[in-house]
Amino acid sequence: MHYISTRGQAPVLGFEEAMLAGLARDGGLYVPDHIPQLQPGHIAALAGLPYEEVAHRVMWPYLGGAFTEAEFGDLIARAYAQIAHPARAPLKQLAPGHFLLELFHGPTLAFKDFAMQLIGQLFEAVLARRGTRLTIVGATSGDTGSAAIEAFRGVAGTDVFILFPDGRVSEVQRRQMTTPIEENVHALALAGDFDAAQARVKDMFNDFAFRDAVGLTAINSINWARVLAQVVYYFAAGVALGAPHRPVSFTVPTGNFGDIFAGHIARRMGLPIERLVIATNTNDILHRALQTGRYTRAEVVPTSSPSMDIQVSSNFERALFDAYGRDGAAVAQLMDELKGQGGFAISQGALEHLREIYGSGRAGEDEVAQTIRRLHAETGELLCPHTACGVAVAERHLGATPMVTLATAHPAKFPDAVEAATGIRPPLPNRMADLYDRPERVTRVADDLAAIETLISKRRAA
Ligand SMILES: *Cc1c(COP(=O)(O)O)cnc(C)c1O
């Protein structure tokens, strides 16, 4: 298995190298050069297996021998022991034909733990084998950063620097990033929004001298290994609802497009997914792009679902790469237009391709609050605002095929929004009940590339 860049100009890499690199050197994202197929018999045989076993079988064909089967099995077991539910990703029924896939039982109460916990294990194994050090840098709208810090705290051979938009993450998210005591953890509060944080991270990757000097790597959702880990729960949920004999649909609260792109990969591997629906909040660039054919960034509007407050969806580039017939030069040109002119027109052919794969919908703030309130009244479930976006959009796409909405975060991670809608303040699970009592450690930084690079060089040397 080989990995190629969406912009066609970076070296072709194996799994391990693509994982360690994160972003490709031409600014593109790595994608597998072909998609392995799981035959219907193999998919049927996943039914009833432990989550870890499903994970092993779904991800194995992508590794190209980077780990032995026994090694990989151990790493998976260690990663998912951190998810505090025996089913790891339990399904809960909300209504006839509508299910929630609970992906929030990990250490930071959001779905990103599924990929990040595994990546932490994979990095540790690979770096020990190579005897090298890496500097992990990520931008976060809240959940990626906490998941990365939780996965890499104390991991030998790594320093982890997370840039988050100061004042724009929830208190629980911030505390999850600022309270770990390990010295390899560095939380940086940036004076700017999430897109600024993400842009500075991209700038660091394009500064090759800096990149090589500190051994920079990205664990944002641009890292292929993260997308891969997320493919697993689509299979787990699909077979639980009757795949491959019956189709299933998914609605995915979407920001950076990593999670829903994993669903697309599951479908291409052979899982019969009927509809794959993008749910956005007020920051609806993806919904607008599918409706109008123009991908145009707008100002980021802060909402109750901050992890979806994104106007430039990194992983959408992977979808464009396929939609443009894997033409790296065409993708590179679109990305130049996005950078220079703030947007681009999707070609008619590519737009048709995308519309065949993805449905979309948008839920504004009032609708999100109403959905949280109504679902609590009807079912007793408390939804986080991201999940509520998903449920609201999914309800417009219900049909004969079972619909699964991904519950991307625990309601206690966003207690203010849940309390405002229902009057109930969801408590943190017992295992993290002392989060509000732990001391915080954070460094404020200006939106200034040189200053951020200097800080990282000094801190990692220290
Ligand atoms: C990250 C995140 C999302 C968006 O996922 P993407 O893979 O970036 O599209 C949605 N909900 C929550 C709670 C998240 O943390």
Side-chain angles (χ1 to χ4, degrees):
M1 174 65 75
H2 293 112
Y3 291 85
I4 59 175
S5 166
T6 49
R7 300 194 195 172
Q9 297 293 320
V12 173
L13 301 180
F15 176 81
E16 187 174 318
E17 289 74 25
M19 176 181 84
L20 292 179
L23 193 66
R25 278 184 104 82
D26 59 1
L29 281 63
Y30 277 108
V31 288
D33 66 351
H34 69 280
I35 301 296
Q37 299 300 300
L38 288 189
Q39 299 309 320
H42 288 141
I43 296 172
L46 299 175
L49 293 179
Y51 188 86
E52 285 79 352
E53 185 58 33
V54 177
H56 198 133
R57 295 189 189 186
V58 168
M59 291 190 279
W60 181 254
Y62 289 90
L63 301 191
F67 301 93
T68 66
E69 293 232 25
E71 228 182 336
F72 190 50
D74 280 351
L75 297 173
I76 291 174
R78 248 181 275 155
Y80 294 134
Q82 304 305 315
I83 312 271
H85 191 294
R88 310 308 178 212
L91 267 181
K92 196 177 260 178
Q93 187 156 11
L94 280 183
H98 192 185
F99 299 80
L100 268 190
L101 182 61
E102 291 186 352
L103 300 172
F104 53 64
H105 296 285
T108 70
L109 307 179
F111 81 90
K112 294 187 175 74
D113 288 325
F114 275 84
M116 213 62 91
Q117 286 294 324
L118 183 67
I119 284 221
Q121 295 296 328
L122 299 179
F123 266 67
E124 187 157 50
V126 168
L127 293 178
R129 192 152 81 197
R130 298 185 164 206
T132 46
R133 276 195 84 74
L134 285 177
T135 301
I136 291 156
V137 173
T140 187
S141 52
D143 289 339
T144 302
S146 48
I149 284 173
E150 197 56 50
F152 281 91
R153 58 192 293 186
V155 167
T158 67
D159 277 286
V160 53
F161 291 86
I162 298 298
L163 278 167
F164 67 87
D166 201 358
R168 296 211 191 178
V169 299
S170 81
E171 183 173 2
V172 174
Q173 289 175 319
R174 190 191 70 236
R175 286 180 172 275
Q176 285 179 332
M177 294 189 274
T178 57
T179 58
I181 54 171
E182 287 80 0
E183 292 206 335
N184 73 328
V185 169
H186 313 272
L188 308 180
L190 181 87
D193 62 16
F194 169 70
D195 286 338
Q198 183 155 260
R200 291 302 78 72
V201 169
K202 283 213 164 181
D203 292 343
M204 282 185 247
F205 276 88
N206 287 326
D207 180 349
F208 290 127
F210 175 75
R211 179 172 179 170
D212 294 337
V214 303
L216 205 62
T217 190
I219 40 61
N220 272 24
S221 59
I222 52 178
N223 194 307
W224 168 257
R226 276 191 55 192
V227 175
L228 178 59
Q230 293 167 3
V231 176
V232 175
Y233 44 70
Y234 287 91
F235 275 98
V239 296
L241 293 174
H245 313 298
R246 288 197 306 167
V248 57
S249 295
F250 291 91
T251 299
V252 187
T254 294
N256 244 331
F257 208 77
D259 208 5
I260 192 155
F261 189 74
H264 169 56
I265 297 292
R267 175 150 66 184
R268 285 190 58 199
M269 290 176 75
L271 186 67
I273 298 179
E274 190 171 283
R275 318 195 72 162
L276 195 49
V277 183
I278 299 164
T280 73
N281 65 21
T282 311
N283 298 290
D284 60 350
I285 183 169
L286 290 163
H287 178 55
R288 278 186 287 117
L290 283 175
Q291 298 270 302
T292 66
R294 268 207 70 84
Y295 187 81
T296 312
R297 65 191 297 176
E299 276 290 297
V300 176
V301 179
T303 72
S304 58
S305 42
S307 298
M308 296 159 65
D309 288 346
I310 288 171
Q311 283 287 350
V312 176
S313 276
S314 314
N315 278 286
F316 191 56
E317 181 167 341
R318 288 188 161 111
L320 288 170
F321 184 60
D322 284 340
Y324 279 81
R326 311 207 118 200
D327 179 348
V331 172
Q333 198 194 322
L334 296 178
M335 293 302 139
D336 277 350
E337 280 179 46
L338 179 63
K339 197 164 185 184
Q341 294 148 44
F344 54 80
I346 303 171
S347 76
Q348 194 55 37
L351 187 61
E352 278 163 22
H353 174 102
L354 290 168
R355 284 178 178 158
E356 252 165 49
I357 299 172
Y358 302 104
S360 69
R362 167 195 198 273
E365 287 294 87
D366 287 349
E367 195 179 1
V368 168
Q370 279 161 20
T371 303
I372 295 175
R373 190 175 314 121
R374 179 168 52 80
L375 266 285
H376 180 250
E378 287 174 358
T379 69
E381 284 301 312
L382 289 175
L383 305 180
C384 95
H386 307 74
T387 306
C389 275
V391 165
V393 171
E395 285 177 337
R396 292 177 226 148
H397 289 84
L398 295 178
T401 301
M403 172 64 80
V404 178
T405 298
L406 272 54
T408 50
H410 191 290
K413 200 160 187 181
F414 303 93
D416 297 340
V418 176
E419 186 175 16
T422 63
I424 295 171
R425 194 163 184 85
L428 284 170
N430 280 339
R431 62 199 146 89
M432 51 191 71
D434 68 339
L435 185 66
Y436 289 95
D437 304 326
R438 299 178 205 156
E440 293 190 74
R441 205 161 49 94
V442 63
T443 306
R444 297 216 149 62
V445 294
D447 185 6
D448 172 350
L449 180 65
I452 297 169
E453 289 186 345
T454 305
L455 179 89
I456 290 176
S457 302
K458 270 207 210 123
R459 282 279 193 86
R460 81 180 270 283

